[in-house]
Amino acid sequence: MRLNASVSGTITGTGLIAENLSGTCTIAGSVTLIGNLSGNVTVASGGTLVIDGDVTHDWHGTLTNAGTVVFKAGYIQGWRDGGVASAIVNQAGAVFEVQGDTSMNARNGADDLSFTNAGTLRRTTSAGTAYLSCAFANTGTIAVQTGTLYLGATVNNAGPVTVSAGAQATFGSTTSLQLGTVFSGAGTVRLDSTVTVGSGVTLSGASTMRLN
């Protein structure tokens, strides 16, 4: 089944392909988005949203995830509408998994799209680079299992960062490392821009740390 309409209420069932998704709705089943998102979309605990298709996914609203989001392919481009920025909110207990060599940024400025993570942001599957170039705030977990996760805009981090062997996490813009930041794993962490280290934070761990 294919959907290209404004939706209100709860989406259940599996196998639904959304050419575009808009309105105020909750995904309690499984939906694959191959186009754009607008409005306020929530993925419920137990629900799954897959973002796929080698296209630009224009973002005009807020995605709140309490379940699982899998970003497989494409390019998320966040817009500011009527003075309101787009947003992705990954709640505690939720998983946002980046599988492909994807990118995510703001249309006209880094604050036109924000990503707030209180759950798990996980990089998997590909050995290439995934780019997250929007304002990013983390109190949850960043887990880079394969390839490279490149954080290309302002980062405020207060959670653990785990990088597996052969993988890399790159902080490529202004970064604030606050209490709660812990680096671990056998991979590489690169700090390539201005870094502010808060009280109680130690830049150590099992990871290889590279400062540039």
Side-chain angles (χ1 to χ4, degrees):
M1 181 178 292
R2 286 182 176 262
L3 173 69
N4 186 7
S6 179
V7 180
S8 296
T10 301
I11 301 172
T12 59
T14 60
L16 180 64
I17 297 175
E19 295 180 5
N20 295 291
L21 190 58
S22 62
T24 300
C25 63
T26 297
I27 298 170
S30 177
V31 174
T32 297
L33 175 64
I34 59 173
N36 305 324
L37 179 144
S38 59
N40 294 289
V41 176
T42 298
V43 181
S45 177
T48 301
L49 173 66
V50 178
I51 304 168
D52 203 357
D54 190 17
V55 298
T56 297
H57 305 281
D58 284 327
W59 221 257
H60 296 266
T62 297
L63 171 66
T64 301
N65 179 38
T68 300
V69 173
V70 179
F71 189 12
K72 294 183 69 174
Y75 163 49
I76 291 177
Q77 180 172 253
W79 293 75
R80 180 180 293 270
D81 296 311
V84 179
S86 298
I88 297 172
V89 179
N90 197 47
Q91 295 183 335
V95 174
F96 194 105
E97 182 167 309
V98 181
Q99 292 186 351
D101 297 336
T102 57
S103 63
M104 183 187 309
N105 75 359
R107 177 66 177 85
N108 293 309
D111 61 352
D112 284 355
L113 174 66
S114 64
F115 191 121
T116 303
N117 179 53
T120 299
L121 171 62
R122 182 185 298 154
R123 168 72 169 130
T124 69
T125 308
S126 173
T129 300
Y131 294 88
L132 197 163
S133 298
C134 61
F136 179 68
N138 178 57
T139 56
T141 298
I142 300 171
V144 185
Q145 298 178 354
T146 63
T148 296
L149 178 65
Y150 186 94
L151 300 169
T154 301
V155 173
N156 288 292
N157 189 77
V161 180
T162 301
V163 186
S164 299
Q168 179 171 296
T170 300
F171 295 78
S173 188
T174 303
T175 298
S176 175
L177 301 177
Q178 302 163 16
L179 187 63
T181 299
V182 178
F183 295 103
S184 65
T188 298
V189 175
R190 289 186 62 99
L191 301 173
D192 282 353
S193 188
T194 302
V195 178
T196 301
V197 180
S199 176
V201 175
T202 302
L203 296 183
S204 65
S207 302
T208 299
M209 186 77 63
R210 296 184 182 274
L211 304 178
N212 186 18

